[in-house]
């Protein structure tokens, strides 16, 4: 939509503003969710979304107007969607059940094998169907592929952190209001720095922005690694601030460079890839960090049954090491990303 409604020279700034509002929504959602849980039934967490969804639907139907005719030939890749669901679903279930029933059990091995087979069939399907769910030919452009992969990996560790930090704060016995504030801060700062990143893109290259964002991200995970059960609030807040700023400076140029590579008329396809990689990264990140965390705990111990401070510290550090490795990969992809030769419109 940004490519359709706005000129090339202002798209980076508009992208920053749009992403900023997305993170602002996350911040408001976290705060509102905490208030609802404290004062009302958890069921209201679902009821409150009904009028919001209705308003969004009405806004989309009556406010937005297409600037071009819809394609005459359209279709949906139902088989590709089914294979994606089967592949990712079996993979996530295998990760979830690995510790409880054994990683070498027939069930886990079968699930992982089924996930690989379904993923392979998905690729074959996408190469043959007329309207593929994921147009694989797009990945021939490495200047599109590298940011797309890094977007998935970055979303993975972002989701992983949002899974791990609440557990850390809960085990520290930090009160709900303080924990809610600490969790809300990253979303606010990410929103604040998205428009700033859009402005910076007018004077700095995408690669420089990538390296600044990923460098800060790596530094944030170093800070997370040194978190201790008795770390003070200023240190926890500082680590979250560095991580939030890194995301704010990284997300906008990533989305922007992917859309720059979109030929006229294929903006929707490229946009869908951004969303697909982000959602896949989110699911993978939560599953990965959950698996690393639970499997780092002593055998037979869970958070409910009680875990020693030393065991918890080891589990958290294991997750942060994984985050550091992924951050290093994202930095490497940032180095490989080249400046777009031209905007193909």
């Amino acid at each position: 939509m940004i490519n359709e409604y706005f000129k090339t020279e202002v798209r980076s700034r508009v992208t920053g503003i749009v992403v900023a509002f997305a993170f602002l929504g996350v911040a408001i959602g976290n705060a509102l969710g905490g208030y609802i849980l404290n004062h009302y039934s958890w069921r209201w967490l679902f009821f409150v979304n009904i009028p919001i969804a209705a308003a969004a639907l009405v806004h989309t139907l009556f406010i937005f107007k297409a600037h071009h005719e819809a394609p005459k030939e359209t279709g949906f890749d139902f088989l590709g969607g089914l294979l994606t669901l089967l592949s990712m679903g079996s993979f996530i279930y295998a990760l979830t059940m690995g510790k409880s029933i054994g990683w070498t059990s027939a069930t886990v091995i079968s699930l992982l094998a089924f996930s690989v087979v379904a993923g392979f069939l998905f690729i074959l399907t996408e190469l043959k169907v007329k309207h593929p769910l994921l147009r694989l030919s797009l990945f021939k452009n490495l200047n599109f592929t590298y940011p797309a992969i890094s977007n998935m990996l970055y979303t993975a560790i972002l989701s992983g952190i949002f899974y791990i930090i609440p557990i850390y704060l809960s085990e520290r016995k930090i009160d709900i209001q303080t924990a809610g504030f600490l969790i809300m801060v990253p979303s606010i700062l990410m929103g604040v720095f998205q428009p700033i990143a859009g402005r910076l893109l007018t004077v700095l290259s995408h690669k420089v922005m990538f390296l600044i964002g990923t460098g800060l991200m790596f530094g944030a995970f170093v800070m997370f690694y040194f978190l201790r059960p008795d770390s003070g609030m200023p240190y926890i807040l500082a680590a979250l601030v560095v991580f939030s700023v890194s995301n704010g400076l990284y997300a906008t140029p990533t989305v922007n460079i992917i859309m720059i590579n979109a030929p006229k008329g294929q903006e929707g396809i490229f946009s869908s890839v951004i969303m697909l990689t982000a959602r896949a990264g989110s699911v993978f990140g939560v599953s990965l960090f959950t698996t690393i965390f639970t499997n780092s705990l002593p055998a037979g111990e869970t958070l409910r049954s009680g875990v020693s401070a030393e065991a918890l510290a080891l589990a958290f550090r294991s997750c942060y090491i994984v985050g550091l490795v992924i951050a290093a990969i994202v930095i490497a992809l940032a180095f490989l990303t080249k400046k777009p030769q031209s905007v193909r419109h």
Side-chain angles (χ1 to χ4, degrees), residues 1 5 15 31 53 81 99 105 108 114 120 138 149 154 189 218 222 247 266 268-269:
M1 290 181 63
Y5 283 88
T15 300
K99 184 178 181 180
S105 66
V108 171
F114 181 79
F120 179 72
L138 298 177
I149 295 175
Y154 198 102
L189 287 178
F218 191 88
V222 172
N247 183 276
Q266 295 189 26
I269 297 174

Side-chain angles (χ1 to χ4, degrees), residues 87-118:
S87 180
M88 295 188 66
S90 57
F91 177 73
I92 293 170
Y93 188 63
L95 291 182
T96 304
M97 299 299 294
K99 184 178 181 180
S100 60
I101 64 177
W103 290 102
T104 58
S105 66
T107 300
V108 171
I109 293 176
S110 298
L111 285 169
L112 292 174
F114 181 79
S115 175
V116 172
V117 172

Side-chain angles (χ1 to χ4, degrees), residues 209-280:
M209 291 292 293
F210 287 151
L211 293 176
I212 293 174
T214 53
L216 288 173
M217 172 180 59
F218 191 88
F221 270 95
V222 172
M223 296 180 71
F224 287 138
Y225 180 82
F226 288 104
L227 275 176
R228 294 293 181 265
D230 57 349
S231 295
M233 288 299 108
Y235 184 87
I236 299 173
L237 184 60
L240 290 173
V241 166
V242 174
F243 184 75
S244 305
V245 173
S246 75
N247 183 276
L249 295 178
Y250 173 83
T252 296
T254 301
V255 173
N256 187 255
I257 196 171
I258 291 176
M259 295 309 300
I260 280 178
N261 285 279
K264 186 67 175 178
Q266 295 189 26
E267 296 89 349
I269 297 174
F270 276 60
S271 179
S272 66
V273 173
I274 295 175
M275 297 302 298
L276 177 62
T277 54
R279 295 295 177 267

Side-chain angles (χ1 to χ4, degrees), residues 29-53:
N30 286 335
L32 182 60
Y35 178 83
I36 291 174
L37 284 176
N38 281 334
H39 297 85
Y40 303 99
S41 167
W42 59 268
R43 292 178 175 83
W44 279 100
L45 292 174
F46 300 96
F47 294 149
V48 75
N49 284 290
I50 296 176
I52 296 174

